[in-house]
Every structure is written in C-alpha cells, then in structure tokens.
Amino acid sequence: MKIAIVLTVKNEVRLLRNNLLYHKAIGVDRAFVYFDNTTDKGKESIADLDFVHTSNSVSADTYVSLSYLGKFSSQAAEHHTARQCLNTYDAQQKCKEEGIDWLISIDADELICTDFEKPSNLKLFFNAIPREMELVDFRTLEVLQQKGSYANVFAEESHFKVNKQVFYLSIKNPFTKLKQKFPWWYGHTMGKSAIRVAANLIPHNVHRYKHIDGTLPNRVVKGNVLHYHAYDAEDFIKKFTNFNDHPDVFLSGNKVEDLKLLLRDVVNNSGMSRQQLECYFKENLMFTEKQVRKFKSGRKYFFIKINPKPIQLVESVVETFKQLNN
C-alpha cells in the first residue's frame, strides 16, 4: 500500500513544511508539491525532504491534446483552480509510474484526519476501503478562529466547526459602513477526496472526480479534511492577498460567495494598513471567549440544543505534532 498527496501552493511557507511532515507521519509515502506563482521561501523550506517532489504548475499546453481536460487547459491562465486540476492530473501520471495506490489532493491549509483522539493511520484506513471503491470523500471541518496569531496552528488548535448553517455573525463592510450577516463558516464545505490511482479518474473540479466518460466513481464518505482557513490575522491577510486576482466567478461559472468577495476587497482595496487589517480580523472574524463558550455548550439559544454539537474536539493532530517534536 503506497499513498501520495498532491498540493498546489502559493506563498504557504508558514504551513507547508508542517503539513508535509504531518502527512508523512500518518502514512504518506510521497508528496507532489506544485508551486503556483510563489514568491516566498516555500521551496527552500522543504528542500531537504526526500519524499517530496517539487515543480512549478504544469503549463496549460501540457495536456491540451486531451479533450477531457479542455476546460482546465483553456482557463488555466485565469483560474488557479484550473491549474490545480491540471497539477492533480499530472501527479496521477507520476503515481502510476511509481506504483502508488492512492492519491489525496489537498491544500497547504488542510490536513487529513481519520481519528479524532489518537494519531491517524492512513495505511490502516485505506486497507479497510473495499476494493470496489474508487474514491474516498473526506468531510470538511473548519478550524475555530480563536487567536490573533499562532506559531504552528496545526500543533496548537484543536477545535473545529462541524456545521455551516448553525451560527451567523455580523461582519462590518468598510465600504458601506454597515454590518452584514454571514455564516460563521468562512471556507468551503465540499470536502476533499482520495482517488484510487488504478481507477483512472479525472478531476471534475478541485473537490470532485469522475471517469473520462463522465460517469461517477464508486465512492465512500469516510474521515475528515481539517481546513485551517484564515486561522489567524496573518493568514487572513495572505489568503485574500492571494485571492486578489480571482474572478468573481468560480471555474464552474458559479458566483463566488459574497463573504469571500467582501474580504478580498477589504484586504486589497480598502486602503487599510496591515495593522488595521489585523484589527479588522480580530474584531470581525476571530471569535471571542464568550462566543466560544456558547459554541462549546452546544446550544443556539438557552433552550435549543444543537445536534450534532457545533464544535468537534480533534486531539489527534496535536498529539501527532507532540510525537514529531520529541
């Protein structure tokens, strides 16, 4: 059983090395990292990791002859997710050459978790997947933004949001001077996937896969992807600086969520200084101790109990980093 991960990254030096070391510790044999217009020291930070293969994003022309990848090749210049899908396909070809059984496509701010209490074991996890299953879908849990700054958020934070449509926040729009109501969940809810390399699946988007003829694979939903989205002020600024050139629509043609567009414009077009943006994060996106107590109580109002509880405690990742640091 050989397992690989593939990441497409841009300016993720704070997370990248720890992400790779974590996945190596839980059973990943190979990592394929594609740098997409990176300007930080991410490449240098992982140069000594011998299980990692690095390259730049593949050229849009690389797979232009493959009609079933046409929507990615034709939109690669505009959409980073199109480049990400091409990179994932490219990693699949490398996996075939190296005899790798499973390939997991994630981002630098995402970790795979198959056990909430003890460290995950991907070898045991995939060995238990029935042979007829071609794909494993991991459900998303999003980190609870509790601090203005983390040294290593993977090793420090263990509380995660379970459900998007539970709580709502009032977030200030500096352009209108008004507050707008948004869900407490800031990132995606679509999960990520592991594909059985021998199944010859292709990306449908960064979250979903299909056969070349368009039919859906045999799939099982199991395990989680932990999404450390905009986890502190510095990451918030970095994330939406990277998002500056993103169109107002996704690769699918669907409109980008209003909150993401607002935060993109706050970081890039509001005229705020870095210090002001850090304050904006703490005042609008970071949760107060009172809010956290409410979330942990599992009650929306005093008399309404939420089931399942809105917060999941994940101790296994912190434990894995304790072992790595010993």
Side-chain angles (χ1 to χ4, degrees):
M1 173 67 65
K2 294 180 69 176
I3 304 162
I5 55 173
V6 54
L7 303 87
T8 297
V9 301
K10 179 178 180 179
N11 297 337
E12 295 286 6
V13 69
R14 291 182 74 203
L15 296 176
L16 182 57
R17 183 180 180 87
N18 283 326
N19 181 303
L20 296 171
L21 290 175
Y22 168 82
H23 285 106
K24 178 66 172 175
I26 67 170
V28 163
D29 301 287
R30 196 79 158 111
F32 301 98
V33 179
Y34 294 82
F35 289 95
D36 193 62
N37 300 313
T38 288
T39 57
D40 67 8
K41 299 294 184 180
K43 291 181 181 180
E44 292 84 347
S45 74
I46 61 171
D48 62 318
L49 302 182
D50 59 7
F51 67 96
V52 180
H53 176 278
T54 64
S55 62
N56 293 325
S57 284
V58 298
S59 167
D61 296 333
T62 304
Y63 296 108
V64 72
S65 63
L66 302 179
S67 60
Y68 49 83
L69 297 180
K71 75 172 181 178
F72 307 128
S73 297
S74 64
Q75 299 185 72
E78 185 178 21
H79 287 274
H80 79 276
T81 51
R83 299 191 293 275
Q84 187 173 355
C85 288
L86 290 174
N87 292 339
T88 297
Y89 183 82
D90 189 69
Q92 287 176 256
Q93 311 319 304
K94 291 180 170 62
C95 286
K96 292 175 184 177
E97 295 172 0
E98 297 187 22
I100 291 169
D101 301 287
W102 289 93
L103 175 65
I104 310 169
S105 179
I106 55 172
D107 294 330
D109 62 355
E110 295 174 334
L111 301 181
I112 298 301
C113 175
T114 62
D115 192 301
F116 293 144
E117 297 179 1
K118 59 185 179 181
S120 300
N121 185 322
L122 292 181
K123 302 292 189 184
L124 292 177
F125 177 82
F126 283 112
N127 274 325
I129 301 299
R131 289 184 177 273
E132 66 271 18
M133 292 300 157
E134 300 170 301
L135 180 145
V136 177
D137 277 335
F138 300 101
R139 294 185 185 275
T140 307
L141 300 179
E142 182 176 282
V143 74
L144 189 66
Q145 294 82 358
Q146 295 192 75
K147 293 172 61 176
S149 179
Y150 291 87
N152 176 5
V153 67
F154 298 149
E156 297 173 49
E157 187 53 70
S158 56
H159 293 90
F160 292 82
K161 309 169 198 174
V162 175
N163 190 316
K164 180 175 183 176
Q165 307 296 341
V166 174
F167 298 106
Y168 289 83
L169 308 174
S170 292
I171 295 178
K172 184 178 180 180
N173 183 329
F175 304 101
T176 65
K177 310 301 182 185
L178 301 174
K179 288 199 170 185
Q180 296 177 240
K181 189 176 181 181
F182 293 104
W184 71 323
W185 190 294
Y186 308 143
H188 72 80
T189 59
M190 296 180 67
K192 288 296 176 70
S193 299
I195 57 176
R196 195 185 289 274
V197 174
N200 291 317
L201 302 177
I202 62 171
H204 176 67
N205 54 39
V206 296
H207 304 279
R208 300 286 181 262
Y209 296 83
K210 60 185 179 182
H211 292 284
I212 291 176
D213 64 5
T215 57
L216 298 179
N218 295 325
R219 59 187 281 270
V220 61
V221 180
K222 193 173 183 181
N224 295 96
V225 56
L226 307 179
H227 193 191
Y228 297 79
H229 181 86
Y231 60 88
D232 67 6
E234 184 177 347
D235 191 67
F236 157 68
I237 295 169
K238 179 269 303 176
K239 182 171 293 295
F240 288 98
T241 298
N242 286 351
F243 206 62
N244 187 31
D245 296 328
H246 195 289
D248 290 351
V249 296
F250 290 113
L251 185 62
S252 64
N254 294 329
K255 183 177 179 295
V256 174
E257 299 97 318
D258 289 342
L259 178 57
K260 286 185 178 179
L261 294 178
L262 171 62
L263 297 180
R264 179 196 66 183
D265 292 341
V266 166
V267 170
N268 298 287
N269 301 317
S270 67
M272 291 187 195
S273 66
R274 186 174 186 87
Q275 184 176 9
Q276 289 172 319
L277 288 173
E278 290 173 353
C279 289
Y280 181 90
F281 171 85
K282 293 175 182 178
E283 293 170 1
N284 291 274
L285 301 178
M286 193 176 86
F287 298 103
T288 65
E289 291 183 7
K290 182 178 179 180
Q291 286 174 313
V292 173
R293 286 196 300 271
K294 178 181 178 181
F295 301 154
K296 289 181 179 179
S297 74
R299 295 181 182 275
K300 192 166 186 179
Y301 304 104
F302 178 76
F303 52 87
I304 299 179
K305 190 173 183 179
I306 302 169
N307 189 26
K309 284 190 174 183
I311 296 295
Q312 174 66 55
L313 179 65
V314 179
E315 299 174 304
S316 57
V317 174
V318 174
E319 181 60 31
T320 299
F321 276 95
K322 286 180 181 177
Q323 295 178 10
L324 283 171
N325 292 330
N326 286 340

